[in-house]
Amino acid sequence: MTEERYTFTAGAKKTLMIVGVIGLVVMVIGIVTSMSGGHHEEGEHAINQLTSQTDLVASLEEAGDDHAEAGEHHGSAPWLKRVFANLWINNVYFTGLAIIGLFFVAIQYAAQAGWSSGIKRIPLAMASWLPIAGVLMIVTWFVVNHDVFHWTHASLYAEVGGDDIIKGKAAMWFWPMEVGTFPIFFVLRMVVFFALWIMFFLWIKKEMLAEDLNGGLDHWYKARKYSAIFLVIFAVTSSIAAWDWVMSIDPHWFSTMFGWYVFASWWVNGLAVITIIVVMLKQQGYLSIVNSNHLHDIGKFIFGFSIFWTYIWFSQFLLIYYANIPEETIYFIQRLEVDNYTWVFFVNLLLNFFLPFLLLMTRDAKRHMSLLKLVCPIIIVGHWFDFYLMVTPGVMQNDGAFGLVEIGMATVFGVLFLFVTLSNLAKAPLFAKNHPMLQESMHHHI
């Protein structure tokens, strides 16, 4: 079997750089425009609409007393809070792509899957973003915490005039220190999670690359052992990360399904990115080992897990709708009743369920690169909107917006992620010629 290596050409790097610069310019223009207060009236209109909803007033009074009593909590200018919200959205979104890259590889080893032998280097390259994601996430948290995470304000924990609901959750963030001080438990979890993920990434990567040089089964068995351990750790850490990094942005609200929901969004989004890279490489003449049968398999993954995401979304929504408990329903009422978010709510469902479901329904659709090239970007954009909808309303309340700031920053992050992924993909052969299941992959037929 002839070794294949991807060449990350100067032209491709230049193109990415140009797109990145355009994204940066768009973001700066968006920030300058936002600083002029262009969205103030829109936010005011949304507030008036919200307060006119009789059923919402009671829940807003309970969940928002602390906002009214402590205006200093939200002292940053709206444009700056918007920048901070977008920094957090993109950190969580692209961290998800990186960790799902490692998760995909680990699943293949744990399941002893042979069909994917020719594409595992792609998700492995995506996981190369993890060290950068860890640094960005931790540094960003120290910059944005008071604006993104309402529970970080010490006045909420005062004996008189504090927030009883948030005080009841304080141990999750501050243990073993005094509540309202430094949230050492929260920050320590973040550091430990990234340390564990990066450690297993390096171990699995080492065994995968050594397999090329030495052959045999020893490296495959070691990679499988590390993968099995990682999957157990990932099951716990990914759920807690979802609670910490996303759900705690709305500290009065909670969902027992939220860990699954974030994982589902990460997972199907990661599958779409893996697939689009596979397709682009195939069209450039790489990955001769990959055929329509492999595309069919990964297309079924995308189709099936788009439905899985929708199942989790609908289950969470239906349970909260049916119970009709104010501290739960406020989450969806805000996203449904505020004009700034209503359109995102329905676009989210359109991009992440209806279009993937309809476009990938047939067998042939999953086997054609042209259709996968259409569906995968839809899903990638759709799940960015999913995270936007999870984060922005909790940070911006009724003043959220979508425009140049969001487009520009997402573009910059996307370019950086692709640059890291493609640079690492070019450092090793595109598939391991000594993989023990390579022949099975070459003769894969469904």
Side-chain angles (χ1 to χ4, degrees):
M1 174 61 66
T2 305
E3 183 177 275
E4 284 189 24
R5 282 184 174 268
Y6 169 70
T7 303
F8 191 18
T9 63
K13 293 177 182 177
K14 183 180 178 181
T15 300
L16 276 179
M17 192 175 299
I18 291 171
V19 173
V21 170
I22 292 172
L24 188 62
V25 171
V26 168
M27 182 180 70
V28 170
I29 293 173
I31 292 172
V32 172
T33 304
S34 183
M35 288 173 69
S36 68
H39 298 288
H40 178 70
E41 292 182 4
E42 184 180 7
E44 254 186 359
H45 171 72
I47 292 172
N48 292 336
Q49 183 188 43
L50 258 179
T51 54
S52 70
Q53 303 293 323
T54 305
D55 292 337
L56 183 61
V57 172
S59 56
L60 277 176
E61 285 175 349
E62 180 179 355
D65 281 346
D66 50 288
H67 300 304
E69 291 173 4
E72 72 276 7
H73 294 182
H74 304 279
S76 294
W79 70 267
L80 188 57
K81 288 179 66 178
R82 184 177 174 187
V83 171
F84 288 168
N86 277 280
L87 277 172
W88 198 252
I89 291 166
N90 287 291
N91 270 315
V92 174
Y93 178 87
F94 286 99
T95 295
L97 288 180
I99 193 60
I100 288 302
L102 181 57
F103 177 76
F104 183 92
V105 171
I107 283 286
Q108 305 311 307
Y109 275 111
Q112 303 184 59
W115 72 273
S116 57
S117 304
I119 65 172
K120 283 196 294 191
R121 294 288 169 83
I122 292 166
L124 185 72
M126 289 165 55
S128 301
W129 179 257
L130 274 174
I132 299 171
V135 173
L136 282 175
M137 183 77 82
I138 294 165
V139 171
T140 300
W141 187 85
F142 280 97
V143 174
V144 310
N145 63 83
H146 287 313
D147 285 291
V148 174
F149 296 94
H150 178 63
W151 54 262
T152 57
H153 296 277
S155 60
L156 295 170
Y157 306 94
E159 290 186 14
V160 179
D163 188 310
D164 290 335
I165 294 176
I166 295 180
K167 280 193 283 187
K169 300 180 178 183
M172 281 190 62
W173 306 309
F174 297 101
W175 180 87
M177 296 178 67
E178 184 181 349
V179 297
T181 56
F182 180 72
I184 188 169
F185 196 27
F186 177 94
V187 174
L188 186 61
R189 282 199 300 270
M190 187 185 295
V191 172
V192 169
F193 290 174
F194 274 106
L196 285 171
W197 295 345
I198 292 168
M199 182 176 68
F200 277 95
F201 161 65
L202 294 174
W203 286 349
I204 294 171
K205 179 181 178 181
K206 177 184 175 183
E207 299 304 327
M208 289 179 68
L209 298 182
E211 198 171 52
D212 273 351
L213 301 176
N214 304 323
L217 293 176
D218 287 346
H219 296 296
W220 185 88
Y221 279 121
K222 285 183 179 179
R224 183 167 179 251
K225 178 182 71 175
Y226 293 144
S227 296
I229 297 170
F230 166 76
L231 290 174
V232 176
I233 292 172
F234 176 77
V236 177
T237 56
S238 62
S239 287
I240 299 174
W243 306 337
D244 282 354
W245 304 345
V246 185
M247 192 166 70
S248 74
I249 292 172
D250 289 276
H252 291 96
W253 180 79
F254 63 91
S255 167
T256 55
M257 301 183 68
F258 200 77
W260 277 108
Y261 182 77
V262 170
F263 164 74
S265 193
W266 272 351
W267 175 229
V268 72
N269 189 41
L271 289 172
V273 172
I274 293 168
T275 304
I276 194 69
I277 294 175
V278 169
V279 169
M280 298 303 291
L281 289 175
K282 280 291 292 178
Q283 292 188 331
Q284 292 177 36
Y286 296 104
L287 293 178
S288 58
I289 191 176
V290 175
N291 56 43
S292 58
N293 297 291
H294 300 93
L295 295 177
H296 189 182
D297 265 348
I298 201 164
K300 285 191 294 186
F301 266 120
I302 294 173
F303 178 75
F305 282 101
S306 291
I307 297 172
F308 174 73
W309 173 85
T310 310
Y311 164 72
I312 299 294
W313 182 95
F314 182 72
S315 298
Q316 180 174 260
F317 179 82
L318 183 64
L319 288 171
I320 291 173
Y321 175 87
Y322 183 79
N324 200 27
I325 301 171
E327 60 264 31
E328 293 181 0
T329 56
I330 181 64
Y331 183 87
F332 283 106
I333 290 173
Q334 184 182 34
R335 286 153 177 79
L336 275 168
E337 298 294 340
V338 179
D339 286 346
N340 309 41
Y341 310 124
T342 303
W343 69 271
V344 183
F345 186 90
F346 292 105
V347 163
N348 190 28
L349 290 175
L350 176 68
L351 298 182
N352 295 325
F353 171 62
F354 289 105
L355 289 180
F357 180 77
L358 295 172
L359 292 172
L360 289 179
M361 186 181 293
T362 65
R363 170 183 167 87
D364 287 345
K366 303 177 187 71
R367 302 171 73 88
H368 289 163
M369 290 190 287
S370 57
L371 201 51
L372 290 173
K373 278 179 66 178
L374 171 65
V375 175
C376 290
I378 289 173
I379 291 172
I380 292 165
V381 172
H383 283 281
W384 187 93
F385 275 115
D386 193 22
F387 280 96
Y388 171 89
L389 202 60
M390 289 186 227
V391 173
T392 302
V395 178
M396 299 297 297
Q397 303 304 314
N398 308 310
D399 295 324
F402 178 81
L404 298 180
V405 177
E406 288 71 22
I407 294 169
M409 192 176 297
T411 301
V412 171
F413 267 84
V415 165
L416 292 174
F417 176 82
L418 272 178
F419 194 92
V420 170
T421 298
L422 297 178
S423 295
N424 281 275
L425 191 62
K427 292 179 181 178
L430 283 174
F431 55 84
K433 62 181 182 296
N434 289 322
H435 194 286
M437 295 185 180
L438 187 61
Q439 289 300 315
E440 179 182 337
S441 182
M442 291 174 62
H443 296 94
H444 182 58
H445 179 74
I446 53 174

